[in-house]
Amino acid sequence: MSIAGRIPLPVLEQLQAALKRRDLFVAPSEKWADPRAKLLQGAAWEAARPQVCHGLGHATDATAGLDTLARQLDASYRRTAAYLASNPFVRVERVKGATR
């Protein structure tokens, strides 16, 4: 009998979900390995960083890019909030005492 025959089905389902989300890694495995393990680190990353950032069209200093993204996200949230009340596809209900 395999080990899977002794593990409850809900545990196996959670295990499979964690593998798919890459929250859990299996070594050695090509498919289920940690995707960060092959990334450049330390001096190798610092040497390659300018070329990688340039190739992707990003600045090497992430602060400016993050500031731009933060402004875009804030504008999107504000636009969504402004039209929320008039959006026919959105409704807020009380279900069993909870707002949904």
Side-chain angles (χ1 to χ4, degrees):
M1 179 191 286
S2 73
I3 190 169
R6 291 177 270 173
I7 298 175
L9 187 58
V11 173
L12 290 175
E13 289 172 344
Q14 291 299 315
L15 175 63
Q16 183 180 25
L19 285 168
K20 286 182 179 181
R21 283 190 313 267
R22 300 271 181 142
D23 287 343
L24 181 67
F25 310 114
V26 178
S29 171
E30 200 55 39
K31 183 174 182 179
W32 304 113
D34 184 353
R36 298 168 295 185
K38 295 182 181 179
L39 294 176
L40 294 176
Q41 296 181 13
W45 165 243
E46 291 303 324
R49 184 177 180 173
Q51 290 175 316
V52 171
C53 289
H54 179 72
L56 294 172
H58 296 294
T60 54
D61 177 21
T63 304
L66 289 174
D67 288 344
T68 300
L69 290 173
R71 283 192 302 278
Q72 290 173 348
L73 181 60
D74 184 62
S76 294
Y77 279 139
R78 290 176 188 276
R79 190 171 46 253
T80 300
Y83 294 108
L84 193 61
S86 62
N87 187 333
F89 299 104
V90 176
R91 67 175 185 256
V92 179
E93 300 177 340
R94 297 276 302 166
V95 178
K96 296 181 182 178
T99 304
R100 307 250 183 224

